[in-house]
């Protein structure tokens, strides 16, 4: 069976009363196209809201009962956003008040079918300085769908347009035009998702306007057009919202009995003309076209007649003519009794008049036309829901739901309705009986089953005063869906009161195995840690829980102290040491943390790190007399007495840059030389290359200037390239970089005034890092936008990231000039690096990379001068480039000074204590 689930951010029901939101326009266009015979999909329309996963599961469960396996297409157009971890959520509106994470929905789809295609048109918040934003959304969509299974994915992403609502745009229209092209090329044969994407690429005018576009093949080839289809122009295609059975199955042609009936092209054209009038709000004109189409169809009434009567009813309803609308819906139902939209629309109008007796008669007449117990149950359920929700008559609702259950004892909607009706009548025990039956019927829908069991547990505890029953129901809910944390909140105090702590720990472990939200994971890990430490006396298992929580919030000093104490209680000083160094970069610079770190380093036999921790305490004014004496005793006088300089390994091993993004650095590094060359060429063409006086250039081996001698010493010590140096009388900064093919620095004649050699060693150490090839890009591409454009150009050139259709503006220019400048060896390195690069969270990754590059300079300066206090004073006096605050630089120096990498570098220089 070919099933399409089309999700929009505005309901079809609301569309009868006014203009559709853009996302609903997109959904309607796609629904209409997929329901045409050459596509052959049964279309289910859903409105985006919380709980989308459960509603998708319900649709899938209803259709999975058929004899044929599902060929499944899921479509959504609308807003989307990434959370702090880069996970993608679909948004029902402009705010994140109603959001549905994509990953659980993808998992539900993958469980239902191994032949599926997810199509997403996603509008995200504009990020003016980040050209990679759309690419990050595409990558996150890919990750979410891949996590669910091996479904195919076609995704377009773009910034939300001002005043827009994330609706239909170039992407959806590109998909539709590609479908039409495939149908024209092979009117009676099938076409795959791969062929659809190829057809989209052929439309270059539209394809390359999209900021982000991706296609990822699934495990199985997906047929977007059915085999032996009938050309759309020979069939009066009804909207999928028009032809649908009570169970949600579309009755659109072709039917199981044979191919779709052929009708005159004139009636089809008139129907399409009427649709256009209706969409524009010209309802009288639409009615006239629909009536002429009816005339052309003749007197032998069939599904096409019913479709047109529904369309006339919709137009009459839009004109406020309720009685005439009901009359036309009646006509449609007289031809096709199973037309769900006609029945629902008529019921809505009758409800609006609050004519409940008429409403029941309408349902009774509908029942007389149905033989299927499932369909009859659905009608009874609909009546019961109206009695309960609209008429506020739970007694009559209960009777209707009971009649539904006589038709289908496992009907979930009837069981739910009966539970609600019994609750309204105060019959809580009977309501819970229904909920248990309902939960049993939801065995294949774990999220919904858990929600039902949670409500039953709540009622058992609050209304029936049955705590043991509540515990058992809550446990069943968690076993069904471990992320049903409301069940844990309900059961935890009950188990705690009964001192059943082992059972409670098991439930916490169960929930932790599935939870994905970091804040929730942290809270559960903390609770489990306290439980294991204080109630069960399990130190090692408690420590594992605390460290799990600390990994999520490494800046929590109190939590670090608790975890460190558990290490100490077990005599594990190495574990304490590792923990302290792991969390140090995120910790606030406080006496509590660094004093504990000092204690750990002393007990671990790390005197050099202990001295660094004491230096931090002195820096923040928290050192006691012994700590101050320790700092003073080992503070270097003048330049450090290094025995050996550093070599290239110190840099390539990442000792200065342990947190570096290796994948991003590899891509940027592969194009760095070419990127610098093309930028210099552009500056030269624009006449912006500075002209330096040759007489100001220094000869390092001959110069007696202090600034030059300190440059030579620091360059050799750190194993950094020594640039050409020009000492100028007037320059904008004490030390600066000049864009040139040869690494070139400029210095003020007065920069060394009042500074000691160790001070200059710090300044040169910080400055020289920008001349390393992997860091030099920041000199020529200093903004996030420039770096983002360079990254996209590199990925485009590599050919490894075909999903990146971001080829506008600056990216196009850079792609062209880089292509001409890259040599064969660089091109090979780029190809390998890009193949390993996952374009997710690119903005944050570029930000972190650029920030760390600037921090690396201060770290090199600290190593060169050997004194945290001196380095801090110089950072305050010369804050440096990169836009980093003094506080951010000092916090980083404090953490890095006690790290294993700093200790190893001091050991290699031969200056480490001990």
């Amino acid at each position: 069976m070919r099933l399409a689930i089309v999700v929009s951010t505005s309901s079809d029901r609301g569309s009868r009363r006014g203009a559709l939101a853009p996302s609903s326009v997109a959904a309607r266009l796609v629904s209409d196209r997929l329901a045409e015979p050459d596509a052959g999909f049964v279309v289910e329309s859903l409105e985006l809201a919380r709980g989308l996963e459960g509603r998708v599961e319900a649709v899938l469960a209803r259709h999975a009962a058929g004899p044929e396996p599902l060929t499944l297409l899921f479509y959504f157009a609308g807003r989307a956003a990434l959370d702090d971890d880069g996970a993608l959520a679909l948004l029902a509106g402009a705010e994140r008040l109603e959001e549905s994470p994509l990953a659980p929905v993808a998992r539900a789809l993958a469980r239902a079918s191994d032949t599926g295609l997810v199509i997403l048109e996603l509008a995200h918040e504009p990020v003016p300085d980040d050209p990679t934003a759309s690419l990050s959304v595409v990558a996150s969509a890919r990750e979410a769908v891949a996590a669910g299974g091996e479904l195919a994915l076609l995704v377009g992403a773009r910034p939300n347009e001002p005043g827009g609502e994330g609706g239909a745009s170039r992407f959806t229209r590109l998909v539709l035009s590609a479908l039409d092209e495939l149908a024209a090329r092979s009117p009676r044969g099938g076409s795959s998702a791969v062929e659809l994407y190829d057809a989209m690429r052929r439309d270059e005018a539209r394809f390359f306007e999209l900021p982000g576009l991706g296609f990822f093949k699934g495990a199985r080839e997906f047929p977007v057009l059915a085999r032996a289809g009938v050309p759309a122009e020979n069939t009066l295609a009804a909207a999928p919202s028009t032809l649908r059975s009570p169970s949600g199955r579309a009755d659109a042609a072709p039917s199981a009995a044979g191919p779709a009936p052929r009708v005159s092209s004139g009636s089809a054209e008139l129907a399409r003309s009427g649709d256009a009038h209706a969409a524009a709000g010209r309802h009288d004109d639409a009615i006239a076209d629909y009536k002429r189409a009816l005339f052309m169809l003749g007197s032998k009434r069939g599904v096409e007649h019913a479709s047109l009567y529904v369309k006339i009813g919709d137009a009459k309803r839009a004109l406020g003519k309720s009685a005439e609308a009901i009359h036309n819906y009646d006509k449609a139902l007289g031809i096709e009794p199973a037309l769900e939209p006609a029945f629902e629309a008529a019921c809505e109008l009758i409800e609006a008049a609050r004519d409940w007796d008429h409403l029941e008669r309408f349902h009774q007449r509908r029942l007389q036309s149905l033989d299927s117990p499932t369909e009859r149950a659905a009608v009874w359920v609909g009546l019961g829901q109206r009695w309960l929700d609209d008429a506020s008559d739970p007694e009559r609702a209960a009777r209707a739901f009971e009649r539904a259950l006589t038709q289908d004892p496992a009907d979930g909607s009837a069981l739910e309705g009966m539970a609600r009706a019994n609750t309204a009548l105060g019959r809580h025990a009977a309501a819970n009986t229904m909920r248990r039956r309902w939960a049993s019927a939801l065995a294949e829908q774990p999220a919904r089953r858990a929600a039902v069991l949670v409500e039953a547990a709540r009622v058992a505890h609050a209304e029936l005063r049955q705590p043991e029953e509540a515990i058992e129901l809550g446990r069943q809910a968690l076993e069904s869906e471990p992320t049903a944390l409301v069940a844990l909140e309900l059961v935890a105090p009950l188990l705690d009161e009964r001192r059943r702590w082992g059972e409670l720990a098991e439930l916490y472990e169960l929930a932790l195995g599935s939870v994905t939200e970091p804040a929730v994971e942290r809270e559960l890990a903390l609770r489990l840690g306290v439980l294991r430490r204080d109630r069960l006396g399990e130190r090692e298992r408690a420590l594992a829980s605390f460290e799990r929580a600390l990994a999520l919030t490494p800046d929590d000093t109190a939590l670090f102290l608790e975890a460190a104490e558990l290490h100490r209680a077990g005599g594990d000083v190495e574990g304490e040491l590792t923990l302290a160094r792991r969390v140090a970069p995120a910790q606030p610079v406080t006496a509590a943390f660094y004093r504990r770190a000092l204690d750990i380093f002393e007990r671990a036999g790390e005197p050099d790190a202990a001295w660094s921790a004491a230096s931090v305490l002195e820096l923040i004014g928290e050192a006691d007399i012994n700590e101050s004496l320790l700092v003073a005793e080992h503070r270097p006088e003048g330049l450090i007495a290094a025995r050996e300089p550093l070599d290239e390994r110190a840099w390539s091993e990442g000792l200065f840059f342990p947190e570096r993004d290796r994948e991003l650095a590899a891509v940027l590094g592969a194009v760095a030389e070419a990127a610098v060359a093309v930028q210099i060429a552009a500056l030269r063409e624009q006449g912006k290359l500075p002209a330096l006086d040759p007489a100001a250039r220094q000869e390092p081996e001959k110069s007696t200037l202090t600034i030059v001698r300190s440059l030579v010493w620091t360059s050799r010590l750190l194993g950094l390239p020594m640039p050409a140096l020009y000492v100028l009388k007037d320059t904008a900064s004490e030390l600066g970089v000049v864009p040139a093919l040869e690494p070139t620095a400029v210095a003020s004649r007065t920069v060394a005034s009042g500074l000691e050699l160790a001070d200059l060693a710090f300044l040169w150490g910080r400055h020289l890092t920008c001349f390393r090839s992997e860091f030099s890009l920041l000199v020529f591409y200093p903004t996030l936008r420039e770096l983002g454009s360079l990254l996209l150009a590199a990925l485009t050139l590599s050919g490894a990231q075909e999903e990146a259709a971001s080829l506008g503006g600056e990216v196009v220019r850079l792609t062209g000039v880089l292509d001409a400048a890259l040599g064969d060896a660089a091109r090979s390195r780029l190809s390998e690096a890009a193949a390993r690069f996952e374009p997710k969270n690119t903005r944050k990754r570029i930000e972190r990379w650029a920030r760390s590059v600037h921090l690396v300079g201060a770290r090199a300066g600290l190593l060169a001068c050997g004194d945290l206090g001196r380095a801090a004073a110089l950072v305050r006096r010369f804050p440096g480039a990169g836009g980093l605050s003094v506080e951010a630089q000092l916090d980083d120096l404090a953490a890095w000074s006690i790290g294993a990498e700093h200790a190893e570098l001091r050991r290699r220089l031969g200056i480490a204590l001990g």
Side-chain angles (χ1 to χ4, degrees):
M1 175 184 178
R2 293 171 64 78
L3 172 65
I5 299 176
V6 177
V7 179
S8 68
T9 57
S10 179
S11 67
D12 290 335
R13 180 179 298 182
S15 72
R16 295 193 182 103
R17 302 191 179 99
L20 291 170
S23 61
S24 289
V25 172
R28 195 65 168 274
L29 289 171
V30 171
S31 295
D32 287 354
R33 184 63 185 86
L34 295 178
E36 290 183 9
D38 62 346
F41 284 95
V42 172
V43 180
E44 287 274 8
S45 298
L46 295 177
E47 181 179 354
L48 181 64
R50 284 187 186 274
L52 177 63
E53 175 194 4
R55 291 159 56 232
V56 167
E57 285 182 332
V59 170
L60 295 171
R62 188 161 65 240
H63 290 284
E68 299 179 8
L70 288 180
T71 297
L72 184 60
L73 187 150
F74 178 89
Y75 168 88
F76 170 78
R79 291 180 183 267
L82 304 179
D83 65 16
D84 290 340
D85 296 317
L88 185 70
L90 312 180
L91 307 185
E95 304 296 331
R96 297 194 63 158
L97 302 177
E98 289 287 336
E99 64 178 56
S100 295
L102 178 61
V105 175
R107 286 194 292 269
L109 297 171
R111 286 195 296 267
S113 175
D114 61 356
T115 305
L117 171 65
V118 177
I119 301 179
L120 305 171
E121 179 181 3
L122 305 174
H124 59 83
E125 283 300 309
V127 187
D129 61 345
D130 181 17
T132 71
S134 295
L135 184 59
S136 292
V137 171
V138 170
S140 295
R142 178 186 187 184
E143 181 177 73
V145 172
E150 297 185 349
L151 303 181
L153 170 66
L154 177 59
V155 54
R158 59 180 173 83
N160 192 44
E161 295 156 2
E165 297 187 32
S169 70
R170 291 184 293 270
F171 174 78
T172 290
R173 297 186 184 281
L174 180 58
V175 171
L176 293 174
S177 66
L179 277 173
D180 289 341
E181 180 191 330
L182 293 179
R185 283 170 173 259
S186 181
R188 303 194 63 84
S191 296
S192 69
V194 173
E195 292 171 306
L196 174 67
Y197 183 66
D198 289 342
M200 292 170 65
R201 290 184 67 92
R202 284 193 291 272
D203 189 350
E204 293 187 2
R206 290 179 178 174
F207 185 86
F208 288 111
E209 287 180 343
L210 297 166
L213 180 62
F215 173 67
F216 310 96
K217 298 177 184 178
R220 298 169 65 91
E221 185 177 88
F222 184 87
V224 291
L225 294 179
R227 296 287 174 187
V230 177
E233 61 267 23
N234 293 334
T235 303
L236 179 61
S241 59
T242 302
L243 299 177
R244 191 162 302 148
S245 70
S247 63
R249 294 186 297 273
D251 298 318
S255 67
R262 299 173 68 87
V263 299
S264 74
S265 60
S267 63
E269 184 63 33
L270 282 168
R272 286 193 286 269
S273 174
D275 291 343
H277 284 309
R282 300 186 294 270
H283 300 293
D284 285 320
D285 293 336
I287 291 169
D289 280 345
Y290 294 146
K291 286 183 176 179
R292 285 197 291 270
L294 280 170
F295 177 78
M296 295 190 70
L297 285 172
S299 59
K300 187 176 181 180
R301 300 195 302 173
V303 65
E304 297 81 15
H305 295 74
S307 170
L308 288 167
Y309 279 124
V310 173
K311 292 173 183 285
I312 293 171
D314 286 348
K316 293 285 188 181
R317 182 177 184 179
L319 293 171
K321 300 177 180 180
S322 297
E324 294 179 37
I326 294 172
H327 177 67
N328 279 279
Y329 294 139
D330 256 342
K331 285 185 177 181
L333 291 167
I335 300 169
E336 291 288 332
L339 287 185
E340 181 74 6
F343 178 74
E344 284 296 322
C347 286
E348 287 176 16
L349 293 174
I350 297 170
E351 277 182 61
R354 304 191 69 79
D355 189 348
W356 307 117
D357 290 335
H358 185 185
L359 186 67
E360 180 146 11
R361 290 195 302 273
F362 202 78
H363 280 76
Q364 292 286 357
R365 193 184 70 178
R366 176 72 178 280
L367 286 163
Q368 293 171 7
S369 69
L370 300 174
D371 297 322
S372 164
T374 301
E375 293 180 345
R376 290 175 63 82
V379 175
W380 281 116
V381 167
L383 181 59
Q385 289 172 341
R386 288 185 164 94
W387 280 123
L388 187 60
D389 297 330
D390 300 318
S392 301
D393 191 336
E395 281 285 3
R396 295 181 76 169
R399 289 197 293 271
F401 290 129
E402 186 61 43
R403 294 292 297 272
L405 290 172
T406 61
Q407 298 291 323
D408 185 355
D411 187 300
S413 297
L415 292 166
E416 177 189 15
M418 185 62 94
R420 292 174 57 218
N422 280 326
T423 298
L425 294 167
R427 303 168 185 165
H428 298 296
N432 258 12
T433 298
M434 291 297 110
R435 291 188 183 99
R436 291 189 196 91
R437 287 176 57 185
W438 185 19
S440 297
L442 293 171
E444 301 301 318
Q445 301 175 56
R448 295 188 71 205
R449 181 174 188 271
V452 173
L453 290 168
V454 166
E455 179 59 16
R458 187 196 65 77
V459 171
H461 179 244
E463 304 293 345
L464 302 176
R465 302 293 189 269
Q466 296 174 341
E468 291 298 327
E469 179 73 3
I471 290 172
E472 180 54 31
L473 289 167
R475 177 187 291 276
Q476 290 178 23
L478 282 165
E479 289 173 348
S480 176
E481 179 52 72
T483 59
L485 300 182
V486 65
L488 189 57
E489 291 296 311
L490 178 64
V491 169
L494 298 177
L495 288 173
D496 188 53
E497 288 170 7
R498 288 156 182 78
R499 303 173 69 84
R500 289 157 61 177
W501 297 312
E503 293 177 51
L504 180 55
E506 290 175 5
L507 293 183
Y508 278 130
E509 292 280 10
L510 183 63
L512 276 168
S514 300
V515 71
T516 57
E517 187 176 343
V520 176
E521 182 182 355
R522 177 187 182 277
E523 179 63 24
L524 290 176
L526 273 178
R527 293 187 187 185
L528 180 58
V530 171
L531 180 67
R532 292 202 180 282
R533 183 191 63 189
D534 298 345
R535 301 295 192 187
L536 297 171
E538 299 174 346
R539 185 194 63 82
E540 289 189 3
R541 301 181 74 179
L543 177 57
S545 296
F546 280 127
E547 291 206 356
R548 181 170 182 170
L550 189 59
L552 295 164
T553 51
D555 59 340
D556 189 329
T557 302
L559 184 53
F560 159 74
L561 294 174
E562 295 226 33
E565 196 58 40
L566 285 172
H567 274 294
R568 185 167 188 172
D572 183 10
V573 68
E574 287 299 322
E576 257 189 293
L577 176 64
T578 300
L579 178 66
R581 280 179 163 160
R582 186 168 70 239
V583 303
Q587 282 286 315
V589 182
T590 62
F593 176 77
Y594 282 92
R595 183 158 288 121
R596 183 56 179 262
L598 171 59
D599 173 65
I600 293 170
F601 294 137
E602 288 179 336
R603 286 187 284 112
E606 294 268 359
D608 199 61
W611 175 70
S612 292
S615 298
V616 176
L617 291 169
E618 184 176 66
L619 178 65
I620 62 176
E622 294 288 346
D624 61 24
I625 185 63
N626 292 323
E627 292 156 353
S628 294
L629 287 172
L630 173 63
V631 174
E633 180 182 359
H634 299 289
R635 179 177 286 128
E637 294 292 337
L639 292 173
I640 58 174
R643 289 197 296 269
E644 295 287 341
L646 297 179
D647 56 21
E648 174 59 25
R649 289 185 306 117
W651 295 92
S652 62
E653 291 171 4
L655 293 176
F656 284 98
F657 201 0
E659 73 278 24
R660 71 190 186 280
D661 185 331
R662 293 177 183 272
E663 293 180 356
L664 176 62
V667 173
L668 294 178
V671 298
E673 184 177 347
V676 168
V678 300
Q679 194 73 325
I680 289 174
L683 292 172
R684 180 183 295 113
E685 184 177 337
Q686 298 164 14
K688 294 182 180 179
L689 277 181
L692 298 174
D693 182 0
R697 180 163 181 166
Q698 304 298 307
E699 296 186 43
E701 302 302 331
K702 297 180 180 179
S703 176
T704 59
L705 292 177
T706 302
I707 189 66
V708 180
R709 290 166 47 217
S710 62
L711 168 62
V712 173
W713 184 88
T714 308
S715 173
R716 289 175 177 170
L717 176 82
L718 297 177
L720 288 169
M722 187 165 58
L725 175 63
Y726 291 77
V727 177
L728 307 176
K729 182 178 181 181
D730 297 313
T731 184
S733 58
E734 289 81 5
L735 297 177
V737 179
V738 174
L741 277 176
E742 179 187 19
T744 303
V746 294
S748 167
R749 285 186 179 276
T750 60
V751 68
S753 178
L755 295 179
E756 298 178 6
L757 285 173
D759 297 329
L760 291 171
F762 172 83
L763 294 178
W764 276 124
R766 185 173 66 177
H767 189 67
L768 285 170
T769 55
C770 68
F771 295 110
R772 284 191 60 82
S773 59
E774 67 264 41
F775 301 152
S776 62
L777 282 177
L778 276 178
V779 174
F780 298 90
Y781 299 83
T783 69
L784 293 177
R785 168 166 283 280
E786 289 170 314
L787 284 170
S789 296
L790 177 61
L791 175 63
L792 285 180
L795 293 176
T796 303
L797 274 177
S798 73
Q801 298 290 342
E802 291 186 3
E803 66 270 21
S806 304
L807 294 175
E810 178 65 8
V811 179
V812 172
R813 185 192 72 81
L814 273 174
T815 302
V817 294
L818 279 178
D819 192 22
L822 274 180
D824 291 341
R827 200 177 295 273
S828 177
R829 290 197 305 274
L830 174 60
S831 179
E832 293 176 5
R836 295 191 298 270
F837 183 77
E838 180 62 42
K840 182 183 176 186
N841 279 344
T842 48
R843 175 186 172 83
K844 289 184 178 179
R845 292 172 69 178
I846 291 172
E847 283 180 338
R848 286 195 296 264
W849 179 83
R851 182 179 186 275
S852 292
V853 167
H854 290 301
L855 291 174
V856 163
R859 295 171 187 175
L862 170 61
L863 187 69
C865 75
D867 181 358
L868 181 62
R870 184 187 297 274
L874 290 165
V875 167
R876 293 189 182 103
R877 181 176 172 184
F878 305 102
L884 293 176
S885 68
V886 168
E887 291 73 18
Q889 295 181 66
L890 295 184
D891 287 353
D892 180 75
L893 286 179
W896 192 71
S897 72
I898 66 168
E901 293 81 11
H902 183 235
E904 173 61 17
L905 289 168
R906 284 174 57 84
R907 186 193 65 76
R908 292 188 185 185
L909 289 173
I911 60 173
L913 304 185

